[in-house]
Amino acid sequence: MGMKITKNGRRCTVLLDGDIDHCSARSMREMIDRYVNEEKPEVLCLDFSKIKFMDSSGIGLIMGRYKLIKILGGRLVIAGVSEGISRIIKLSGLGTLGIVKEER
Amino acid sequence: MRILDPINEMKLEFVARSSNEAFARGAIASFVLQLDPTISELSDIKTAVSEAVTNSIVHGYGEVLGTIYLEAKIFETGKIIIRIRDKGVGIPDVSQAMEPLFTTGGEERSGLGFAVMQSFMDGVKVFSKPGRGTTVTLEKNVIRRFVKEKKQSAVVG
């Protein structure tokens, strides 16, 4: 598991790496939240393009960050979603929040 | 060997540590590879097993470091039967636990584990006894390569 955070003005992009499951989601969550609470970005972008596996723990990760950034007055964008990840997102109903960036 | 007998079987047991979620889905993936599934079929199976094993760790055992039993059988027809069993606290109301978005796991759990299993597999059965544990049986039918080739040549021919 790795993670790269880049900042462009008030936009933060988190490039997630590896597998997202209940085990890895915990440390990802802690790192993102620490950063977001310090930087208070206007836009938080979670980039899933390097994620090889994700189960429903990834939905918990997205929902939690969505709530946090809303409280801070920013907004969440989800990018780099593969077909497999997209199926879980659809199942969760998160797609209706309008946060998933269409591409590929 | 009778036609309905499995062509192969495996049994594994491991401690209910969160780091074994990746081990369990890796193990099941390499076992079912013998049936030559597609990438998408393989990903469905890995995801469903990851959900069931996570349930056993988070809900079945919680703070207790119990044992999780993973068994799989594969059949000539392409059928795969996987059993994930724990001796944890059990589920008092299985049908409620299987409702999408229902969770007792706190804010960071989505409550989608069973919904994912049901959507990605061809069959999901849950047997649970409070105080005794939970057994989840997952079934998936992968399309055998020779059937795929037959279908393709039927289209071409």
Side-chain angles (χ1 to χ4, degrees), chain A residues 30-83:
Chain A
E30 285 167 6
M31 280 176 76
I32 297 169
D33 287 4
R34 202 179 312 130
Y35 190 82
V36 167
N37 278 316
E38 271 172 27
E39 297 287 333
K40 298 185 174 53
E42 217 166 272
V43 179
L44 172 67
C45 175
L46 299 181
D47 187 342
F48 285 80
S49 54
K50 287 190 129 181
I51 294 298
K52 289 162 206 85
F53 173 87
M54 180 177 114
D55 65 18
S56 70
S57 308
I59 299 300
L61 185 73
I62 297 172
M63 283 194 324
R65 308 307 59 77
Y66 176 77
K67 285 179 189 159
L68 174 66
I69 196 81
K70 273 221 133 174
I71 292 168
L72 297 172
R75 71 188 172 90
L76 181 71
V77 176
I78 305 295
V81 171
S82 68
E83 218 183 294

Side-chain angles (χ1 to χ4, degrees), chain B residues 133-150:
Chain B
T134 301
T135 303
V136 174
T137 308
L138 304 169
E139 205 178 305
K140 179 90 172 168
N141 295 296
V142 306
I143 299 169
R144 300 307 310 274
R145 183 78 69 178
F146 58 83
V147 179
K148 285 173 206 160
E149 277 162 9
K150 229 186 234 172

Side-chain angles (χ1 to χ4, degrees), chain B residues 42-146:
Chain B
L42 196 61
S43 155
D44 289 351
I45 294 163
K46 282 172 72 179
T47 310
V49 167
S50 195
E51 299 292 352
V53 169
T54 303
N55 277 351
S56 287
I57 294 171
V58 176
H59 303 287
Y61 290 119
E63 298 301 308
V64 183
L65 203 58
T67 304
I68 295 174
Y69 305 84
L70 173 66
E71 295 175 29
K73 288 179 186 173
I74 53 173
F75 298 81
E76 188 61 48
T77 54
K79 180 156 84 173
I80 301 167
I81 296 177
I82 302 164
R83 258 181 25 165
I84 300 103
R85 189 162 58 90
D86 67 61
K87 294 179 177 171
V89 295
I91 306 168
D93 186 343
V94 171
S95 52
Q96 183 189 39
M98 289 181 85
E99 276 171 31
L101 309 181
F102 176 85
T103 184
T104 55
E107 237 194 302
E108 292 286 332
R109 303 299 313 154
S110 66
L112 284 173
F114 281 120
V116 167
M117 287 182 237
Q118 283 172 322
S119 157
F120 287 17
M121 301 297 276
D122 297 314
V124 180
K125 278 186 209 132
V126 182
F127 179 78
S128 192
K129 257 198 176 146
R132 298 292 295 277
T134 301
T135 303
V136 174
T137 308
L138 304 169
E139 205 178 305
K140 179 90 172 168
N141 295 296
V142 306
I143 299 169
R144 300 307 310 274
R145 183 78 69 178
F146 58 83

Side-chain angles (χ1 to χ4, degrees), chain B residues 18-48:
Chain B
S18 185
S19 50
N20 278 334
E21 291 152 11
F23 165 71
R25 60 176 182 268
I28 199 72
S30 42
F31 183 71
V32 302
L33 266 180
Q34 299 165 62
L35 285 178
D36 201 12
T38 63
I39 290 172
S40 147
E41 286 166 342
L42 196 61
S43 155
D44 289 351
I45 294 163
K46 282 172 72 179
T47 310

